[in-house]
Amino acid sequence: MKMELIPTVQSLLKQDAIRVEGDIALIEAFTKLIDLLSFQYEHPPVFDFNSYPFLDHSARKIPLLSDSINRPLSQQVLYSISLQPERFEVLVHIHSDSTAKPEYTTKPVYTVRKPNLSNLNHALHALYDYIDDSTHFLICQNCKQLVAAELCSDNSCGDFAKTKHSAQHCESTYKQVFDTSFVDRVSITGEVVNVFKGEDEIKFYASSTAWPHPHEPQCYSRVIETLPLTATLDEVHALRDKLEAEQKYPAPCFHCKEEFDEGEAMDLASFVDFDTDEIVCYGCASLHYGVVY
Ligand SMILES: [Zn+2]
Ligand SMILES: [Zn+2]
């Protein structure tokens, strides 16, 4: 199963698709863990602020699991989690029939009796992984909507026995109430080359420094490459690895040995009479080579 076809915990939380009940301390602990595992979504750069995209901490919008306590069951709710000291349980709600009266089938899909509370983090991590990897719903590669996996074959939804054309497959299939554009397994931050899944494309970016005013450097995220939203997880990983290998920055200054991002240093080769890939920071360029800004 391709991971990009499976809803993530974050995408479910963002759309009120999870309901949680049970012991409040356990719910709080799970809320904290999910928050921690959402790190890659923590600082998405905003790419249109004053023409210098930057890491906007205030733009962080990760819904908390604790906001889903005792959420009433609706068509939106796909998973119910029950956290009791003596039992962790996950139920899946597969909805059907949108026109007449909404119906759903509920199935227990994950049960741990007597969870090991002395290693709570481990137990909760296993629960998180279960939901994050669970294949009860899939994003149809034809209509791009979320459907019950039992209505899918070959990554597309529909009745294959009755229809010949792939576009017709999807027509009669019930679609779950879910916006699949929230499923993001490609964004990553905290690396040399980071990835951000935007609304229009997947952006690869590196930290850079701009000088809007001579003495006021501004850190920003420079887009160095893009891929269409249809790129697979493997394609994203492959390109990120390639770009990462190509990056010259961050690099240590030849003189002071401190690390600098692009925009904070120059090629040493322009100051010396030997071949070199080393860099020199602006401070050392002034100090050692008399560069004046
Ligand atoms: Zn479909
Ligand atoms: Zn230096």
Side-chain angles (χ1 to χ4, degrees), residues 1 40 58 75 106 120 161 180 183 189 195 215 243 245 264 287:
M1 179 53 54
Q40 67 265 44
S58 66
Q75 278 184 291
T106 295
L120 182 59
T180 56
V183 178
T189 192
V195 182
H215 299 287
L243 292 170
E264 297 178 321
L287 197 63

PDB file of all heavy atoms in Angstrom, residues 1 40 58 75 106 120 161 180 183 189 195 215 243 245 264 287:
ATOM      1  N   MET A   1       0.839  -1.213   0.000  1.00  0.00           N
ATOM      2  CA  MET A   1       0.000   0.000   0.000  1.00  0.00           C
ATOM      3  C   MET A   1       0.867   1.252   0.000  1.00  0.00           C
ATOM      4  O   MET A   1       1.794   1.356   0.784  1.00  0.00           O
ATOM      5  CB  MET A   1      -0.881  -0.016   1.252  1.00  0.00           C
ATOM      6  CG  MET A   1      -1.785   1.184   1.382  1.00  0.00           C
ATOM      7  SD  MET A   1      -2.792   1.516  -0.060  1.00  0.00           S
ATOM      8  CE  MET A   1      -3.591  -0.077  -0.286  1.00  0.00           C
ATOM      9  N   GLN A  40       6.922  18.235  11.830  1.00  0.00           N
ATOM     10  CA  GLN A  40       7.236  18.671  10.464  1.00  0.00           C
ATOM     11  C   GLN A  40       6.252  19.697   9.936  1.00  0.00           C
ATOM     12  O   GLN A  40       6.507  20.345   8.949  1.00  0.00           O
ATOM     13  CB  GLN A  40       7.349  17.490   9.501  1.00  0.00           C
ATOM     14  CG  GLN A  40       6.074  16.745   9.232  1.00  0.00           C
ATOM     15  CD  GLN A  40       5.938  15.546  10.140  1.00  0.00           C
ATOM     16  OE1 GLN A  40       6.191  15.613  11.333  1.00  0.00           O
ATOM     17  NE2 GLN A  40       5.543  14.420   9.580  1.00  0.00           N
ATOM     18  N   SER A  58       3.478  31.804  13.986  1.00  0.00           N
ATOM     19  CA  SER A  58       2.081  32.054  14.349  1.00  0.00           C
ATOM     20  C   SER A  58       1.125  31.357  13.386  1.00  0.00           C
ATOM     21  O   SER A  58      -0.047  31.192  13.683  1.00  0.00           O
ATOM     22  CB  SER A  58       1.798  33.552  14.344  1.00  0.00           C
ATOM     23  OG  SER A  58       1.899  34.052  13.032  1.00  0.00           O
ATOM     24  N   GLN A  75     -21.179  12.403  10.082  1.00  0.00           N
ATOM     25  CA  GLN A  75     -20.593  11.803   8.877  1.00  0.00           C
ATOM     26  C   GLN A  75     -19.107  12.104   8.763  1.00  0.00           C
ATOM     27  O   GLN A  75     -18.392  11.437   8.035  1.00  0.00           O
ATOM     28  CB  GLN A  75     -21.309  12.333   7.638  1.00  0.00           C
ATOM     29  CG  GLN A  75     -22.594  11.586   7.359  1.00  0.00           C
ATOM     30  CD  GLN A  75     -23.212  12.071   6.075  1.00  0.00           C
ATOM     31  OE1 GLN A  75     -23.683  13.206   5.999  1.00  0.00           O
ATOM     32  NE2 GLN A  75     -23.186  11.230   5.058  1.00  0.00           N
ATOM     33  N   THR A 106     -19.930   0.546  12.107  1.00  0.00           N
ATOM     34  CA  THR A 106     -18.835   0.713  13.066  1.00  0.00           C
ATOM     35  C   THR A 106     -18.174  -0.631  13.324  1.00  0.00           C
ATOM     36  O   THR A 106     -18.865  -1.630  13.551  1.00  0.00           O
ATOM     37  CB  THR A 106     -19.372   1.305  14.382  1.00  0.00           C
ATOM     38  OG1 THR A 106     -19.849   2.624  14.119  1.00  0.00           O
ATOM     39  CG2 THR A 106     -18.289   1.367  15.437  1.00  0.00           C
ATOM     40  N   LEU A 120       4.111   4.233  28.765  1.00  0.00           N
ATOM     41  CA  LEU A 120       2.934   4.816  28.130  1.00  0.00           C
ATOM     42  C   LEU A 120       3.229   5.362  26.737  1.00  0.00           C
ATOM     43  O   LEU A 120       2.467   5.177  25.800  1.00  0.00           O
ATOM     44  CB  LEU A 120       2.362   5.921  29.026  1.00  0.00           C
ATOM     45  CG  LEU A 120       1.094   6.606  28.507  1.00  0.00           C
ATOM     46  CD1 LEU A 120      -0.027   5.600  28.313  1.00  0.00           C
ATOM     47  CD2 LEU A 120       0.654   7.714  29.460  1.00  0.00           C
ATOM     48  N   ALA A 161     -16.788  -4.546 -12.126  1.00  0.00           N
ATOM     49  CA  ALA A 161     -17.472  -5.568 -12.914  1.00  0.00           C
ATOM     50  C   ALA A 161     -18.446  -4.924 -13.902  1.00  0.00           C
ATOM     51  O   ALA A 161     -18.641  -5.410 -15.001  1.00  0.00           O
ATOM     52  CB  ALA A 161     -18.225  -6.511 -11.979  1.00  0.00           C
ATOM     53  N   THR A 180      -9.084  15.465   0.859  1.00  0.00           N
ATOM     54  CA  THR A 180      -7.821  14.720   0.779  1.00  0.00           C
ATOM     55  C   THR A 180      -6.604  15.630   0.597  1.00  0.00           C
ATOM     56  O   THR A 180      -5.472  15.180   0.731  1.00  0.00           O
ATOM     57  CB  THR A 180      -7.861  13.704  -0.383  1.00  0.00           C
ATOM     58  OG1 THR A 180      -8.164  14.403  -1.595  1.00  0.00           O
ATOM     59  CG2 THR A 180      -8.912  12.639  -0.133  1.00  0.00           C
ATOM     60  N   VAL A 183      -3.973  15.679   3.380  1.00  0.00           N
ATOM     61  CA  VAL A 183      -3.054  14.566   3.629  1.00  0.00           C
ATOM     62  C   VAL A 183      -1.656  14.971   3.156  1.00  0.00           C
ATOM     63  O   VAL A 183      -1.436  15.202   1.970  1.00  0.00           O
ATOM     64  CB  VAL A 183      -3.513  13.280   2.912  1.00  0.00           C
ATOM     65  CG1 VAL A 183      -2.512  12.157   3.141  1.00  0.00           C
ATOM     66  CG2 VAL A 183      -4.892  12.878   3.402  1.00  0.00           C
ATOM     67  N   THR A 189      10.800  19.691   7.856  1.00  0.00           N
ATOM     68  CA  THR A 189      11.548  20.885   8.204  1.00  0.00           C
ATOM     69  C   THR A 189      12.683  20.499   9.138  1.00  0.00           C
ATOM     70  O   THR A 189      12.728  19.382   9.643  1.00  0.00           O
ATOM     71  CB  THR A 189      10.622  21.958   8.820  1.00  0.00           C
ATOM     72  OG1 THR A 189      11.317  23.176   8.892  1.00  0.00           O
ATOM     73  CG2 THR A 189      10.153  21.549  10.205  1.00  0.00           C
ATOM     74  N   VAL A 195      10.942  20.511   2.748  1.00  0.00           N
ATOM     75  CA  VAL A 195       9.868  20.351   1.778  1.00  0.00           C
ATOM     76  C   VAL A 195       8.581  20.914   2.373  1.00  0.00           C
ATOM     77  O   VAL A 195       8.309  20.727   3.559  1.00  0.00           O
ATOM     78  CB  VAL A 195       9.664  18.857   1.415  1.00  0.00           C
ATOM     79  CG1 VAL A 195       8.573  18.706   0.360  1.00  0.00           C
ATOM     80  CG2 VAL A 195      10.966  18.237   0.931  1.00  0.00           C
ATOM     81  N   HIS A 215      22.340  46.757   6.743  1.00  0.00           N
ATOM     82  CA  HIS A 215      22.760  46.216   8.038  1.00  0.00           C
ATOM     83  C   HIS A 215      21.692  45.375   8.713  1.00  0.00           C
ATOM     84  O   HIS A 215      21.762  45.101   9.894  1.00  0.00           O
ATOM     85  CB  HIS A 215      23.207  47.365   8.957  1.00  0.00           C
ATOM     86  CG  HIS A 215      24.363  48.116   8.384  1.00  0.00           C
ATOM     87  ND1 HIS A 215      25.638  47.594   8.338  1.00  0.00           N
ATOM     88  CD2 HIS A 215      24.424  49.320   7.776  1.00  0.00           C
ATOM     89  CE1 HIS A 215      26.443  48.460   7.744  1.00  0.00           C
ATOM     90  NE2 HIS A 215      25.723  49.517   7.387  1.00  0.00           N
ATOM     91  N   LEU A 243      18.925  17.150  -4.062  1.00  0.00           N
ATOM     92  CA  LEU A 243      19.139  18.577  -3.785  1.00  0.00           C
ATOM     93  C   LEU A 243      20.028  18.762  -2.562  1.00  0.00           C
ATOM     94  O   LEU A 243      20.886  19.644  -2.523  1.00  0.00           O
ATOM     95  CB  LEU A 243      17.796  19.288  -3.554  1.00  0.00           C
ATOM     96  CG  LEU A 243      16.889  19.411  -4.779  1.00  0.00           C
ATOM     97  CD1 LEU A 243      15.511  19.901  -4.363  1.00  0.00           C
ATOM     98  CD2 LEU A 243      17.502  20.354  -5.811  1.00  0.00           C
ATOM     99  N   ALA A 245      22.355  16.819  -1.509  1.00  0.00           N
ATOM    100  CA  ALA A 245      23.742  16.533  -1.869  1.00  0.00           C
ATOM    101  C   ALA A 245      24.372  17.696  -2.637  1.00  0.00           C
ATOM    102  O   ALA A 245      25.583  17.907  -2.593  1.00  0.00           O
ATOM    103  CB  ALA A 245      23.798  15.250  -2.705  1.00  0.00           C
ATOM    104  N   GLU A 264      25.154  34.782   3.467  1.00  0.00           N
ATOM    105  CA  GLU A 264      25.943  35.301   4.585  1.00  0.00           C
ATOM    106  C   GLU A 264      27.443  35.192   4.319  1.00  0.00           C
ATOM    107  O   GLU A 264      28.247  35.526   5.171  1.00  0.00           O
ATOM    108  CB  GLU A 264      25.633  34.512   5.864  1.00  0.00           C
ATOM    109  CG  GLU A 264      24.198  34.620   6.326  1.00  0.00           C
ATOM    110  CD  GLU A 264      23.915  33.782   7.570  1.00  0.00           C
ATOM    111  OE1 GLU A 264      24.435  32.656   7.671  1.00  0.00           O
ATOM    112  OE2 GLU A 264      23.181  34.266   8.426  1.00  0.00           O
ATOM    113  N   LEU A 287      37.741  41.573   7.353  1.00  0.00           N
ATOM    114  CA  LEU A 287      38.924  41.488   8.220  1.00  0.00           C
ATOM    115  C   LEU A 287      40.194  41.091   7.458  1.00  0.00           C
ATOM    116  O   LEU A 287      41.235  41.697   7.589  1.00  0.00           O
ATOM    117  CB  LEU A 287      38.621  40.442   9.308  1.00  0.00           C
ATOM    118  CG  LEU A 287      39.489  40.440  10.549  1.00  0.00           C
ATOM    119  CD1 LEU A 287      39.316  41.755  11.305  1.00  0.00           C
ATOM    120  CD2 LEU A 287      39.090  39.269  11.453  1.00  0.00           C
TER     121      LEU A 287
END
